[in-house]
Amino acid sequence: MKFFSQSFLYDDPWSIVSLAFFLRYPNPHAAHVISCDVISRHQTESGSLLTTRLILKRGALPRWAPQGIISKTESWVVEESEVDPFGKVVRCRTKNLDHVKVMQIEETQLFEQAENGRTLQTTEAYITSKFGWGLTKRIESHGLARFKAHVQRSREGVSLILNLLRQARVQPMALGSYVATIHSDHSFVGTEVSAESHGSDSSVLSGDENQSIPPRNNSWLGKFWS
């Protein structure tokens, strides 16, 4: 088993960072994400919002992987989140549902309000392989290396959405209200951001204030607006 832990401090308030986190797909830094669907959502008696999403991601096998180790490189990932608007905390847990014998990644994300109106993000992950055949440690090391690379790209994706929110001058509001707002907003302009194909995070084997904003005809941005 391999373990990863890292913290990052956003300059933006908790409400905006939390909104950007849930709106992070699609973005050009997550080209491996094929789909993301809400399968359940309800509010608890204490006022927290519980959401379960099913995400399909495309991975890539390393060259040294035995032929036929998995039947397909796509992986279903379940994401379970809790938003506590009173304590200003977001807790999110993800794990892959298939290929778990080869490798399973269980990731937790925690977003908390910090001092001076900033937001602290803490990411932790456990990478485990039960494949055997002398490849367990190599698979786990490969998964850890890919996950570390993913963390930076994931943060870049969230930062891109944060930049879009700043450009739109959107105040904290419900996700549904925000989506309705951006459907009628056509004011985003800027230079094109290249969409690079990246590796997966929980799939198997696989904030800059002045950042340029891609035009609406970008394929990923079209999906964001839809």
Side-chain angles (χ1 to χ4, degrees):
M1 175 185 293
K2 299 291 184 180
F3 175 72
F4 174 86
S5 180
Q6 188 178 90
S7 296
F8 181 78
L9 196 61
Y10 288 94
D11 290 331
D12 298 88
W14 174 85
S15 56
I16 295 297
V17 174
S18 300
L19 178 61
F21 175 73
F22 286 106
L23 290 175
R24 68 191 187 279
Y25 300 138
N27 75 76
H29 302 288
H32 62 291
V33 176
I34 301 173
S35 65
C36 181
D37 299 286
V38 174
I39 59 177
S40 71
R41 175 173 286 157
H42 68 276
Q43 189 174 18
T44 66
E45 293 182 358
S46 62
S48 294
L49 182 66
L50 304 182
T51 303
T52 301
R53 301 200 295 184
L54 194 60
I55 306 170
L56 182 60
K57 299 184 179 182
R58 180 184 297 110
L61 290 173
R63 293 181 179 180
W64 49 261
Q67 186 175 5
I69 186 173
I70 58 176
S71 58
K72 56 183 179 180
T73 57
E74 288 81 12
S75 180
W76 288 103
V77 175
V78 63
E79 176 193 89
E80 299 175 316
S81 63
E82 177 185 359
V83 180
D84 179 359
F86 303 105
K88 294 189 175 180
V89 176
V90 171
R91 300 178 182 88
C92 183
R93 294 171 294 275
T94 63
K95 64 179 180 180
N96 54 294
L97 299 178
D98 42 14
H99 314 312
V100 294
K101 183 177 180 180
V102 177
M103 184 170 67
Q104 182 162 55
I105 299 181
E106 298 182 79
E107 176 187 2
T108 61
Q109 298 266 15
L110 182 65
F111 294 85
E112 302 174 283
Q113 180 174 264
E115 296 180 351
N116 301 321
R118 297 189 291 180
T119 304
L120 178 65
Q121 176 188 8
T122 302
T123 303
E124 294 184 349
Y126 289 92
I127 298 97
T128 308
S129 174
K130 299 178 181 178
F131 185 73
W133 296 94
L135 290 175
T136 297
K137 290 184 178 180
R138 190 171 187 181
I139 291 173
E140 290 177 348
S141 296
H142 173 77
L144 178 60
R146 294 297 295 270
F147 187 85
K148 288 179 178 178
H150 148 73
V151 169
Q152 178 60 32
R153 291 195 296 269
S154 177
R155 191 172 296 137
E156 291 172 356
V158 172
S159 295
L160 177 59
I161 303 303
L162 279 171
N163 199 26
L164 288 172
L165 294 177
R166 296 189 198 104
Q167 292 291 326
R169 297 179 180 177
V170 176
Q171 298 299 318
M173 61 177 71
L175 291 178
S177 300
Y178 174 70
V179 171
T181 300
I182 62 176
H183 268 296
S184 60
D185 187 348
H186 296 268
S187 62
F188 291 94
V189 294
T191 58
E192 183 173 357
V193 175
S194 61
E196 298 177 337
S197 178
H198 296 301
S200 60
D201 37 66
S202 294
S203 59
V204 173
L205 299 183
S206 55
D208 187 342
E209 184 80 23
N210 298 318
Q211 184 174 348
S212 297
I213 305 300
R216 286 180 54 85
N217 60 2
N218 269 13
S219 59
W220 76 269
L221 192 54
K223 294 178 182 178
F224 180 82
W225 295 119
S226 62

